[in-house]
PDB file of all heavy atoms in Angstrom:
ATOM      1  N   ALA A  12       5.877  11.236  -3.389  1.00  0.00           N
ATOM      2  CA  ALA A  12       6.050   9.996  -2.700  1.00  0.00           C
ATOM      3  C   ALA A  12       5.449   8.866  -3.557  1.00  0.00           C
ATOM      4  O   ALA A  12       5.956   7.761  -3.764  1.00  0.00           O
ATOM      5  CB  ALA A  12       5.356   9.910  -1.341  1.00  0.00           C
ATOM      6  N   LYS A  13       4.192   9.095  -4.061  1.00  0.00           N
ATOM      7  CA  LYS A  13       3.591   8.113  -4.936  1.00  0.00           C
ATOM      8  C   LYS A  13       4.293   7.780  -6.137  1.00  0.00           C
ATOM      9  O   LYS A  13       4.463   6.633  -6.552  1.00  0.00           O
ATOM     10  CB  LYS A  13       2.056   8.543  -5.211  1.00  0.00           C
ATOM     11  CG  LYS A  13       1.307   7.619  -6.084  1.00  0.00           C
ATOM     12  CD  LYS A  13      -0.029   8.256  -6.465  1.00  0.00           C
ATOM     13  CE  LYS A  13       0.122   9.380  -7.426  1.00  0.00           C
ATOM     14  NZ  LYS A  13      -1.233   9.881  -8.043  1.00  0.00           N
ATOM     15  N   ASN A  14       4.745   8.785  -6.804  1.00  0.00           N
ATOM     16  CA  ASN A  14       5.556   8.656  -7.956  1.00  0.00           C
ATOM     17  C   ASN A  14       6.921   7.894  -7.751  1.00  0.00           C
ATOM     18  O   ASN A  14       7.309   7.134  -8.597  1.00  0.00           O
ATOM     19  CB  ASN A  14       5.827  10.000  -8.627  1.00  0.00           C
ATOM     20  CG  ASN A  14       4.545  10.743  -9.197  1.00  0.00           C
ATOM     21  OD1 ASN A  14       3.601  10.012  -9.389  1.00  0.00           O
ATOM     22  ND2 ASN A  14       4.642  12.048  -9.387  1.00  0.00           N
ATOM     23  N   THR A  15       7.475   8.201  -6.673  1.00  0.00           N
ATOM     24  CA  THR A  15       8.730   7.475  -6.270  1.00  0.00           C
ATOM     25  C   THR A  15       8.544   6.072  -5.958  1.00  0.00           C
ATOM     26  O   THR A  15       9.309   5.264  -6.482  1.00  0.00           O
ATOM     27  CB  THR A  15       9.434   8.239  -5.061  1.00  0.00           C
ATOM     28  OG1 THR A  15       9.670   9.612  -5.477  1.00  0.00           O
ATOM     29  CG2 THR A  15      10.658   7.535  -4.666  1.00  0.00           C
ATOM     30  N   LEU A  16       7.557   5.796  -5.145  1.00  0.00           N
ATOM     31  CA  LEU A  16       7.352   4.450  -4.659  1.00  0.00           C
ATOM     32  C   LEU A  16       6.775   3.449  -5.635  1.00  0.00           C
ATOM     33  O   LEU A  16       7.004   2.296  -5.663  1.00  0.00           O
ATOM     34  CB  LEU A  16       6.480   4.481  -3.321  1.00  0.00           C
ATOM     35  CG  LEU A  16       7.105   5.189  -2.178  1.00  0.00           C
ATOM     36  CD1 LEU A  16       5.987   5.525  -1.056  1.00  0.00           C
ATOM     37  CD2 LEU A  16       8.162   4.268  -1.578  1.00  0.00           C
ATOM     38  N   PHE A  17       5.897   3.988  -6.522  1.00  0.00           N
ATOM     39  CA  PHE A  17       5.110   3.163  -7.479  1.00  0.00           C
ATOM     40  C   PHE A  17       5.726   3.171  -8.897  1.00  0.00           C
ATOM     41  O   PHE A  17       5.212   2.642  -9.789  1.00  0.00           O
ATOM     42  CB  PHE A  17       3.642   3.539  -7.557  1.00  0.00           C
ATOM     43  CG  PHE A  17       2.996   3.415  -6.209  1.00  0.00           C
ATOM     44  CD1 PHE A  17       1.716   4.041  -6.042  1.00  0.00           C
ATOM     45  CD2 PHE A  17       3.447   2.645  -5.195  1.00  0.00           C
ATOM     46  CE1 PHE A  17       0.983   4.055  -4.899  1.00  0.00           C
ATOM     47  CE2 PHE A  17       2.842   2.628  -4.021  1.00  0.00           C
ATOM     48  CZ  PHE A  17       1.584   3.139  -3.872  1.00  0.00           C
ATOM     49  N   SER A  18       6.919   3.809  -9.084  1.00  0.00           N
ATOM     50  CA  SER A  18       7.408   4.065 -10.382  1.00  0.00           C
ATOM     51  C   SER A  18       8.035   2.909 -11.082  1.00  0.00           C
ATOM     52  O   SER A  18       8.028   2.649 -12.355  1.00  0.00           O
ATOM     53  CB  SER A  18       8.518   5.185 -10.446  1.00  0.00           C
ATOM     54  OG  SER A  18       9.586   4.716  -9.642  1.00  0.00           O
ATOM     55  N   ASN A  19       8.464   1.861 -10.196  1.00  0.00           N
ATOM     56  CA  ASN A  19       9.255   0.690 -10.770  1.00  0.00           C
ATOM     57  C   ASN A  19       8.399  -0.530 -10.880  1.00  0.00           C
ATOM     58  O   ASN A  19       8.990  -1.612 -11.100  1.00  0.00           O
ATOM     59  CB  ASN A  19      10.485   0.512  -9.997  1.00  0.00           C
ATOM     60  CG  ASN A  19      11.571   1.598 -10.230  1.00  0.00           C
ATOM     61  OD1 ASN A  19      11.653   2.283 -11.207  1.00  0.00           O
ATOM     62  ND2 ASN A  19      12.109   1.947  -9.114  1.00  0.00           N
ATOM     63  N   GLY A  20       7.143  -0.475 -10.574  1.00  0.00           N
ATOM     64  CA  GLY A  20       6.329  -1.697 -10.587  1.00  0.00           C
ATOM     65  C   GLY A  20       4.883  -1.437 -11.123  1.00  0.00           C
ATOM     66  O   GLY A  20       4.704  -0.341 -11.716  1.00  0.00           O
ATOM     67  N   ASP A  21       4.001  -2.328 -10.833  1.00  0.00           N
ATOM     68  CA  ASP A  21       2.677  -2.188 -11.427  1.00  0.00           C
ATOM     69  C   ASP A  21       1.636  -1.735 -10.536  1.00  0.00           C
ATOM     70  O   ASP A  21       0.418  -1.558 -10.630  1.00  0.00           O
ATOM     71  CB  ASP A  21       2.166  -3.462 -12.091  1.00  0.00           C
ATOM     72  CG  ASP A  21       2.155  -4.595 -11.198  1.00  0.00           C
ATOM     73  OD1 ASP A  21       2.520  -4.442  -9.964  1.00  0.00           O
ATOM     74  OD2 ASP A  21       1.630  -5.659 -11.446  1.00  0.00           O
ATOM     75  N   VAL A  22       2.179  -1.381  -9.214  1.00  0.00           N
ATOM     76  CA  VAL A  22       1.143  -0.847  -8.245  1.00  0.00           C
ATOM     77  C   VAL A  22       0.799   0.590  -8.567  1.00  0.00           C
ATOM     78  O   VAL A  22       1.637   1.409  -8.997  1.00  0.00           O
ATOM     79  CB  VAL A  22       1.928  -0.811  -6.903  1.00  0.00           C
ATOM     80  CG1 VAL A  22       1.057  -0.181  -5.722  1.00  0.00           C
ATOM     81  CG2 VAL A  22       2.315  -2.270  -6.483  1.00  0.00           C
ATOM     82  N   THR A  23      -0.396   0.814  -8.429  1.00  0.00           N
ATOM     83  CA  THR A  23      -1.029   2.172  -8.625  1.00  0.00           C
ATOM     84  C   THR A  23      -1.820   2.597  -7.397  1.00  0.00           C
ATOM     85  O   THR A  23      -1.976   1.765  -6.434  1.00  0.00           O
ATOM     86  CB  THR A  23      -2.032   2.192  -9.790  1.00  0.00           C
ATOM     87  OG1 THR A  23      -3.123   1.366  -9.497  1.00  0.00           O
ATOM     88  CG2 THR A  23      -1.288   1.751 -11.175  1.00  0.00           C
ATOM     89  N   GLU A  24      -2.264   3.824  -7.312  1.00  0.00           N
ATOM     90  CA  GLU A  24      -3.025   4.300  -6.306  1.00  0.00           C
ATOM     91  C   GLU A  24      -4.220   3.382  -6.091  1.00  0.00           C
ATOM     92  O   GLU A  24      -4.662   2.921  -5.041  1.00  0.00           O
ATOM     93  CB  GLU A  24      -3.486   5.664  -6.572  1.00  0.00           C
ATOM     94  CG  GLU A  24      -4.070   6.546  -5.448  1.00  0.00           C
ATOM     95  CD  GLU A  24      -4.349   7.940  -5.891  1.00  0.00           C
ATOM     96  OE1 GLU A  24      -5.396   8.134  -6.519  1.00  0.00           O
ATOM     97  OE2 GLU A  24      -3.529   8.820  -5.625  1.00  0.00           O
ATOM     98  N   GLU A  25      -4.863   3.030  -7.220  1.00  0.00           N
ATOM     99  CA  GLU A  25      -6.114   2.229  -7.150  1.00  0.00           C
ATOM    100  C   GLU A  25      -5.829   0.827  -6.671  1.00  0.00           C
ATOM    101  O   GLU A  25      -6.589   0.248  -5.842  1.00  0.00           O
ATOM    102  CB  GLU A  25      -6.683   2.230  -8.553  1.00  0.00           C
ATOM    103  CG  GLU A  25      -7.413   3.551  -9.036  1.00  0.00           C
ATOM    104  CD  GLU A  25      -6.250   4.472  -9.441  1.00  0.00           C
ATOM    105  OE1 GLU A  25      -5.197   4.090  -9.701  1.00  0.00           O
ATOM    106  OE2 GLU A  25      -6.510   5.647  -9.578  1.00  0.00           O
ATOM    107  N   SER A  26      -4.742   0.252  -7.169  1.00  0.00           N
ATOM    108  CA  SER A  26      -4.392  -1.160  -6.775  1.00  0.00           C
ATOM    109  C   SER A  26      -4.055  -1.286  -5.307  1.00  0.00           C
ATOM    110  O   SER A  26      -4.313  -2.238  -4.545  1.00  0.00           O
ATOM    111  CB  SER A  26      -3.354  -1.864  -7.572  1.00  0.00           C
ATOM    112  OG  SER A  26      -2.118  -1.157  -7.532  1.00  0.00           O
ATOM    113  N   ALA A  27      -3.389  -0.150  -4.785  1.00  0.00           N
ATOM    114  CA  ALA A  27      -3.034  -0.198  -3.387  1.00  0.00           C
ATOM    115  C   ALA A  27      -4.180  -0.077  -2.462  1.00  0.00           C
ATOM    116  O   ALA A  27      -4.237  -0.687  -1.470  1.00  0.00           O
ATOM    117  CB  ALA A  27      -2.033   1.135  -3.191  1.00  0.00           C
ATOM    118  N   ILE A  28      -5.191   0.814  -2.888  1.00  0.00           N
ATOM    119  CA  ILE A  28      -6.393   0.929  -2.132  1.00  0.00           C
ATOM    120  C   ILE A  28      -7.196  -0.593  -2.151  1.00  0.00           C
ATOM    121  O   ILE A  28      -7.753  -0.978  -1.128  1.00  0.00           O
ATOM    122  CB  ILE A  28      -7.328   2.032  -2.723  1.00  0.00           C
ATOM    123  CG1 ILE A  28      -6.768   3.326  -2.351  1.00  0.00           C
ATOM    124  CG2 ILE A  28      -8.718   1.895  -2.166  1.00  0.00           C
ATOM    125  CD1 ILE A  28      -6.676   3.688  -0.838  1.00  0.00           C
ATOM    126  N   LYS A  29      -7.096  -1.128  -3.251  1.00  0.00           N
ATOM    127  CA  LYS A  29      -7.700  -2.473  -3.513  1.00  0.00           C
ATOM    128  C   LYS A  29      -7.157  -3.437  -2.441  1.00  0.00           C
ATOM    129  O   LYS A  29      -7.817  -4.253  -1.784  1.00  0.00           O
ATOM    130  CB  LYS A  29      -7.534  -2.988  -4.837  1.00  0.00           C
ATOM    131  CG  LYS A  29      -8.246  -4.297  -5.119  1.00  0.00           C
ATOM    132  CD  LYS A  29      -8.094  -4.868  -6.591  1.00  0.00           C
ATOM    133  CE  LYS A  29      -8.677  -6.202  -6.877  1.00  0.00           C
ATOM    134  NZ  LYS A  29      -8.595  -6.640  -8.264  1.00  0.00           N
ATOM    135  N   SER A  30      -5.809  -3.423  -2.306  1.00  0.00           N
ATOM    136  CA  SER A  30      -5.079  -4.363  -1.366  1.00  0.00           C
ATOM    137  C   SER A  30      -5.487  -3.941   0.029  1.00  0.00           C
ATOM    138  O   SER A  30      -5.561  -4.853   0.896  1.00  0.00           O
ATOM    139  CB  SER A  30      -3.642  -4.192  -1.549  1.00  0.00           C
ATOM    140  OG  SER A  30      -3.219  -4.789  -2.851  1.00  0.00           O
ATOM    141  N   LEU A  31      -5.650  -2.625   0.378  1.00  0.00           N
ATOM    142  CA  LEU A  31      -5.974  -2.213   1.781  1.00  0.00           C
ATOM    143  C   LEU A  31      -7.401  -2.727   1.990  1.00  0.00           C
ATOM    144  O   LEU A  31      -7.601  -3.183   3.139  1.00  0.00           O
ATOM    145  CB  LEU A  31      -5.974  -0.676   1.748  1.00  0.00           C
ATOM    146  CG  LEU A  31      -6.055  -0.118   3.123  1.00  0.00           C
ATOM    147  CD1 LEU A  31      -4.896  -0.489   3.964  1.00  0.00           C
ATOM    148  CD2 LEU A  31      -6.093   1.419   3.090  1.00  0.00           C
ATOM    149  N   ASN A  32      -8.311  -2.762   1.029  1.00  0.00           N
ATOM    150  CA  ASN A  32      -9.572  -3.333   1.378  1.00  0.00           C
ATOM    151  C   ASN A  32      -9.542  -4.813   1.528  1.00  0.00           C
ATOM    152  O   ASN A  32     -10.323  -5.377   2.319  1.00  0.00           O
ATOM    153  CB  ASN A  32     -10.553  -2.940   0.108  1.00  0.00           C
ATOM    154  CG  ASN A  32     -11.109  -1.616   0.349  1.00  0.00           C
ATOM    155  OD1 ASN A  32     -11.871  -1.292   1.241  1.00  0.00           O
ATOM    156  ND2 ASN A  32     -10.871  -0.711  -0.560  1.00  0.00           N
ATOM    157  N   LEU A  33      -8.634  -5.563   0.809  1.00  0.00           N
ATOM    158  CA  LEU A  33      -8.415  -6.886   1.092  1.00  0.00           C
ATOM    159  C   LEU A  33      -7.998  -7.178   2.393  1.00  0.00           C
ATOM    160  O   LEU A  33      -8.380  -8.115   3.152  1.00  0.00           O
ATOM    161  CB  LEU A  33      -7.377  -7.506  -0.028  1.00  0.00           C
ATOM    162  CG  LEU A  33      -6.877  -8.927   0.225  1.00  0.00           C
ATOM    163  CD1 LEU A  33      -8.093  -9.894   0.169  1.00  0.00           C
ATOM    164  CD2 LEU A  33      -5.936  -9.300  -0.774  1.00  0.00           C
ATOM    165  N   LEU A  34      -7.088  -6.347   2.951  1.00  0.00           N
ATOM    166  CA  LEU A  34      -6.497  -6.464   4.288  1.00  0.00           C
ATOM    167  C   LEU A  34      -7.656  -6.327   5.322  1.00  0.00           C
ATOM    168  O   LEU A  34      -7.736  -6.943   6.362  1.00  0.00           O
ATOM    169  CB  LEU A  34      -5.460  -5.501   4.584  1.00  0.00           C
ATOM    170  CG  LEU A  34      -4.755  -5.484   5.965  1.00  0.00           C
ATOM    171  CD1 LEU A  34      -3.913  -6.784   6.122  1.00  0.00           C
ATOM    172  CD2 LEU A  34      -3.853  -4.238   6.093  1.00  0.00           C
ATOM    173  N   ASN A  35      -8.619  -5.395   4.991  1.00  0.00           N
ATOM    174  CA  ASN A  35      -9.686  -4.997   5.868  1.00  0.00           C
ATOM    175  C   ASN A  35     -10.909  -5.962   5.654  1.00  0.00           C
ATOM    176  O   ASN A  35     -11.921  -5.701   6.403  1.00  0.00           O
ATOM    177  CB  ASN A  35     -10.048  -3.673   5.511  1.00  0.00           C
ATOM    178  CG  ASN A  35     -10.746  -2.945   6.715  1.00  0.00           C
ATOM    179  OD1 ASN A  35     -10.360  -3.132   7.910  1.00  0.00           O
ATOM    180  ND2 ASN A  35     -11.843  -2.112   6.444  1.00  0.00           N
ATOM    181  N   SER A  36     -10.754  -6.948   4.929  1.00  0.00           N
ATOM    182  CA  SER A  36     -11.913  -7.804   4.742  1.00  0.00           C
ATOM    183  C   SER A  36     -12.200  -8.915   5.778  1.00  0.00           C
ATOM    184  O   SER A  36     -13.165  -9.604   5.743  1.00  0.00           O
ATOM    185  CB  SER A  36     -11.793  -8.562   3.317  1.00  0.00           C
ATOM    186  OG  SER A  36     -10.592  -9.468   3.450  1.00  0.00           O
ATOM    187  N   ARG A  37     -11.225  -8.834   6.808  1.00  0.00           N
ATOM    188  CA  ARG A  37     -11.480  -9.754   7.952  1.00  0.00           C
ATOM    189  C   ARG A  37     -11.733  -8.857   9.155  1.00  0.00           C
ATOM    190  O   ARG A  37     -11.238  -7.686   9.110  1.00  0.00           O
ATOM    191  CB  ARG A  37     -10.226 -10.653   8.176  1.00  0.00           C
ATOM    192  CG  ARG A  37     -10.225 -11.844   7.152  1.00  0.00           C
ATOM    193  CD  ARG A  37      -9.445 -12.984   7.672  1.00  0.00           C
ATOM    194  NE  ARG A  37      -9.532 -14.038   6.760  1.00  0.00           N
ATOM    195  CZ  ARG A  37      -9.147 -15.284   7.071  1.00  0.00           C
ATOM    196  NH1 ARG A  37      -8.485 -15.576   8.258  1.00  0.00           N
ATOM    197  NH2 ARG A  37      -9.141 -16.268   6.193  1.00  0.00           N
ATOM    198  N   GLU A  38     -12.147  -9.427  10.246  1.00  0.00           N
ATOM    199  CA  GLU A  38     -12.422  -8.676  11.405  1.00  0.00           C
ATOM    200  C   GLU A  38     -11.149  -8.265  12.167  1.00  0.00           C
ATOM    201  O   GLU A  38     -10.677  -9.195  12.947  1.00  0.00           O
ATOM    202  CB  GLU A  38     -13.368  -9.380  12.285  1.00  0.00           C
ATOM    203  CG  GLU A  38     -14.810  -9.369  11.811  1.00  0.00           C
ATOM    204  CD  GLU A  38     -15.793  -9.937  12.756  1.00  0.00           C
ATOM    205  OE1 GLU A  38     -15.377 -10.337  13.827  1.00  0.00           O
ATOM    206  OE2 GLU A  38     -17.037 -10.093  12.460  1.00  0.00           O
ATOM    207  N   ILE A  39     -10.574  -7.223  11.950  1.00  0.00           N
ATOM    208  CA  ILE A  39      -9.248  -6.704  12.606  1.00  0.00           C
ATOM    209  C   ILE A  39      -9.739  -5.341  13.103  1.00  0.00           C
ATOM    210  O   ILE A  39     -10.640  -4.628  12.779  1.00  0.00           O
ATOM    211  CB  ILE A  39      -8.188  -6.596  11.624  1.00  0.00           C
ATOM    212  CG1 ILE A  39      -8.478  -5.647  10.492  1.00  0.00           C
ATOM    213  CG2 ILE A  39      -7.798  -7.952  10.999  1.00  0.00           C
ATOM    214  CD1 ILE A  39      -7.313  -5.286   9.554  1.00  0.00           C
ATOM    215  N   ASP A  40      -8.883  -5.023  14.195  1.00  0.00           N
ATOM    216  CA  ASP A  40      -9.093  -3.669  14.816  1.00  0.00           C
ATOM    217  C   ASP A  40      -8.552  -2.541  13.831  1.00  0.00           C
ATOM    218  O   ASP A  40      -9.200  -1.555  13.703  1.00  0.00           O
ATOM    219  CB  ASP A  40      -8.371  -3.695  16.147  1.00  0.00           C
ATOM    220  CG  ASP A  40      -8.970  -4.504  17.209  1.00  0.00           C
ATOM    221  OD1 ASP A  40     -10.171  -4.390  17.441  1.00  0.00           O
ATOM    222  OD2 ASP A  40      -8.285  -5.306  17.720  1.00  0.00           O
ATOM    223  N   PHE A  41      -7.409  -2.844  13.192  1.00  0.00           N
ATOM    224  CA  PHE A  41      -6.918  -1.878  12.232  1.00  0.00           C
ATOM    225  C   PHE A  41      -5.744  -2.595  11.553  1.00  0.00           C
ATOM    226  O   PHE A  41      -5.219  -3.668  12.030  1.00  0.00           O
ATOM    227  CB  PHE A  41      -6.493  -0.510  12.919  1.00  0.00           C
ATOM    228  CG  PHE A  41      -5.367  -0.624  13.821  1.00  0.00           C
ATOM    229  CD1 PHE A  41      -4.005  -0.654  13.420  1.00  0.00           C
ATOM    230  CD2 PHE A  41      -5.622  -0.768  15.275  1.00  0.00           C
ATOM    231  CE1 PHE A  41      -2.998  -0.819  14.276  1.00  0.00           C
ATOM    232  CE2 PHE A  41      -4.596  -0.885  16.158  1.00  0.00           C
ATOM    233  CZ  PHE A  41      -3.202  -0.901  15.704  1.00  0.00           C
ATOM    234  N   GLY A  42      -5.325  -2.007  10.416  1.00  0.00           N
ATOM    235  CA  GLY A  42      -4.044  -2.514   9.689  1.00  0.00           C
ATOM    236  C   GLY A  42      -3.540  -1.347   8.979  1.00  0.00           C
ATOM    237  O   GLY A  42      -4.003  -0.289   8.878  1.00  0.00           O
ATOM    238  N   ASP A  43      -2.460  -1.718   8.168  1.00  0.00           N
ATOM    239  CA  ASP A  43      -1.871  -0.630   7.467  1.00  0.00           C
ATOM    240  C   ASP A  43      -0.911  -1.218   6.352  1.00  0.00           C
ATOM    241  O   ASP A  43      -0.457  -2.323   6.542  1.00  0.00           O
ATOM    242  CB  ASP A  43      -1.161   0.392   8.232  1.00  0.00           C
ATOM    243  CG  ASP A  43      -0.230  -0.167   9.196  1.00  0.00           C
ATOM    244  OD1 ASP A  43       0.636  -1.147   8.970  1.00  0.00           O
ATOM    245  OD2 ASP A  43      -0.237   0.347  10.422  1.00  0.00           O
ATOM    246  N   LEU A  44      -0.679  -0.460   5.376  1.00  0.00           N
ATOM    247  CA  LEU A  44       0.378  -0.810   4.215  1.00  0.00           C
ATOM    248  C   LEU A  44       1.377   0.325   4.503  1.00  0.00           C
ATOM    249  O   LEU A  44       1.091   1.427   4.544  1.00  0.00           O
ATOM    250  CB  LEU A  44      -0.107  -0.652   2.825  1.00  0.00           C
ATOM    251  CG  LEU A  44      -1.543  -1.393   2.572  1.00  0.00           C
ATOM    252  CD1 LEU A  44      -1.906  -1.159   1.067  1.00  0.00           C
ATOM    253  CD2 LEU A  44      -1.454  -2.852   2.867  1.00  0.00           C
ATOM    254  N   PHE A  45       2.709  -0.200   4.632  1.00  0.00           N
ATOM    255  CA  PHE A  45       3.762   0.839   4.860  1.00  0.00           C
ATOM    256  C   PHE A  45       4.817   0.614   3.622  1.00  0.00           C
ATOM    257  O   PHE A  45       5.502  -0.291   3.579  1.00  0.00           O
ATOM    258  CB  PHE A  45       4.431   0.621   6.097  1.00  0.00           C
ATOM    259  CG  PHE A  45       5.538   1.637   6.403  1.00  0.00           C
ATOM    260  CD1 PHE A  45       5.166   2.846   6.997  1.00  0.00           C
ATOM    261  CD2 PHE A  45       6.846   1.414   6.205  1.00  0.00           C
ATOM    262  CE1 PHE A  45       6.166   3.823   7.266  1.00  0.00           C
ATOM    263  CE2 PHE A  45       7.847   2.216   6.539  1.00  0.00           C
ATOM    264  CZ  PHE A  45       7.459   3.516   7.037  1.00  0.00           C
ATOM    265  N   PHE A  46       4.803   1.696   2.713  1.00  0.00           N
ATOM    266  CA  PHE A  46       5.767   1.634   1.556  1.00  0.00           C
ATOM    267  C   PHE A  46       6.942   2.482   1.939  1.00  0.00           C
ATOM    268  O   PHE A  46       6.853   3.547   2.541  1.00  0.00           O
ATOM    269  CB  PHE A  46       5.119   2.128   0.397  1.00  0.00           C
ATOM    270  CG  PHE A  46       3.916   1.585  -0.096  1.00  0.00           C
ATOM    271  CD1 PHE A  46       2.532   1.726   0.360  1.00  0.00           C
ATOM    272  CD2 PHE A  46       3.911   0.440  -0.966  1.00  0.00           C
ATOM    273  CE1 PHE A  46       1.438   1.067  -0.069  1.00  0.00           C
ATOM    274  CE2 PHE A  46       2.901  -0.285  -1.438  1.00  0.00           C
ATOM    275  CZ  PHE A  46       1.648   0.112  -1.124  1.00  0.00           C
ATOM    276  N   GLU A  47       8.135   2.014   1.569  1.00  0.00           N
ATOM    277  CA  GLU A  47       9.292   2.753   1.790  1.00  0.00           C
ATOM    278  C   GLU A  47      10.341   2.615   0.757  1.00  0.00           C
ATOM    279  O   GLU A  47      10.535   1.467   0.166  1.00  0.00           O
ATOM    280  CB  GLU A  47       9.964   2.431   3.138  1.00  0.00           C
ATOM    281  CG  GLU A  47      11.231   3.041   3.551  1.00  0.00           C
ATOM    282  CD  GLU A  47      11.836   2.435   4.843  1.00  0.00           C
ATOM    283  OE1 GLU A  47      11.840   1.265   5.004  1.00  0.00           O
ATOM    284  OE2 GLU A  47      12.206   3.327   5.679  1.00  0.00           O
ATOM    285  N   ARG A  48      11.139   3.711   0.481  1.00  0.00           N
ATOM    286  CA  ARG A  48      12.357   3.649  -0.396  1.00  0.00           C
ATOM    287  C   ARG A  48      13.330   4.542   0.276  1.00  0.00           C
ATOM    288  O   ARG A  48      13.129   5.737   0.515  1.00  0.00           O
ATOM    289  CB  ARG A  48      12.003   4.089  -1.719  1.00  0.00           C
ATOM    290  CG  ARG A  48      13.139   4.172  -2.840  1.00  0.00           C
ATOM    291  CD  ARG A  48      12.793   4.644  -4.088  1.00  0.00           C
ATOM    292  NE  ARG A  48      13.985   5.071  -4.954  1.00  0.00           N
ATOM    293  CZ  ARG A  48      14.588   4.189  -5.754  1.00  0.00           C
ATOM    294  NH1 ARG A  48      14.206   2.919  -5.851  1.00  0.00           N
ATOM    295  NH2 ARG A  48      15.596   4.604  -6.473  1.00  0.00           N
ATOM    296  N   THR A  49      14.468   3.976   0.552  1.00  0.00           N
ATOM    297  CA  THR A  49      15.609   4.696   1.046  1.00  0.00           C
ATOM    298  C   THR A  49      16.871   4.573   0.412  1.00  0.00           C
ATOM    299  O   THR A  49      17.354   3.459   0.068  1.00  0.00           O
ATOM    300  CB  THR A  49      15.913   4.212   2.513  1.00  0.00           C
ATOM    301  OG1 THR A  49      14.691   4.561   3.395  1.00  0.00           O
ATOM    302  CG2 THR A  49      17.039   5.086   3.229  1.00  0.00           C
ATOM    303  N   VAL A  50      17.484   5.712  -0.088  1.00  0.00           N
ATOM    304  CA  VAL A  50      18.742   5.738  -0.912  1.00  0.00           C
ATOM    305  C   VAL A  50      19.815   6.305   0.118  1.00  0.00           C
ATOM    306  O   VAL A  50      19.650   7.315   0.708  1.00  0.00           O
ATOM    307  CB  VAL A  50      18.614   6.597  -2.093  1.00  0.00           C
ATOM    308  CG1 VAL A  50      19.979   6.496  -2.955  1.00  0.00           C
ATOM    309  CG2 VAL A  50      17.489   6.172  -3.017  1.00  0.00           C
ATOM    310  N   SER A  51      20.932   5.554   0.252  1.00  0.00           N
ATOM    311  CA  SER A  51      21.906   5.973   1.121  1.00  0.00           C
ATOM    312  C   SER A  51      23.309   5.908   0.551  1.00  0.00           C
ATOM    313  O   SER A  51      23.575   5.135  -0.416  1.00  0.00           O
ATOM    314  CB  SER A  51      22.075   4.954   2.303  1.00  0.00           C
ATOM    315  OG  SER A  51      20.812   4.754   2.982  1.00  0.00           O
TER     316      SER A  51
END
């Protein structure tokens, strides 16, 4: 999934976690990043 979703851009495992920490830098109950690729 990581190779499929991150193959066409500059997002990496490390930069995704960095963005998740940015999301979590305010007082929230919870949050999430949801990546998707669908071929039909």
Side-chain angles (χ1 to χ4, degrees):
K13 181 182 70 172
N14 293 340
T15 299
L16 293 164
F17 298 164
S18 63
N19 295 321
D21 57 356
V22 175
T23 63
E24 193 176 82
E25 292 75 19
S26 65
I28 291 296
K29 182 179 178 181
S30 293
L31 191 65
N32 277 294
L33 172 61
L34 181 68
N35 202 41
S36 64
R37 289 200 174 191
E38 289 184 359
I39 59 174
D40 291 306
F41 62 87
D43 49 45
L44 315 180
F45 184 83
F46 298 92
E47 179 184 44
R48 176 183 168 89
T49 299
V50 182
S51 305

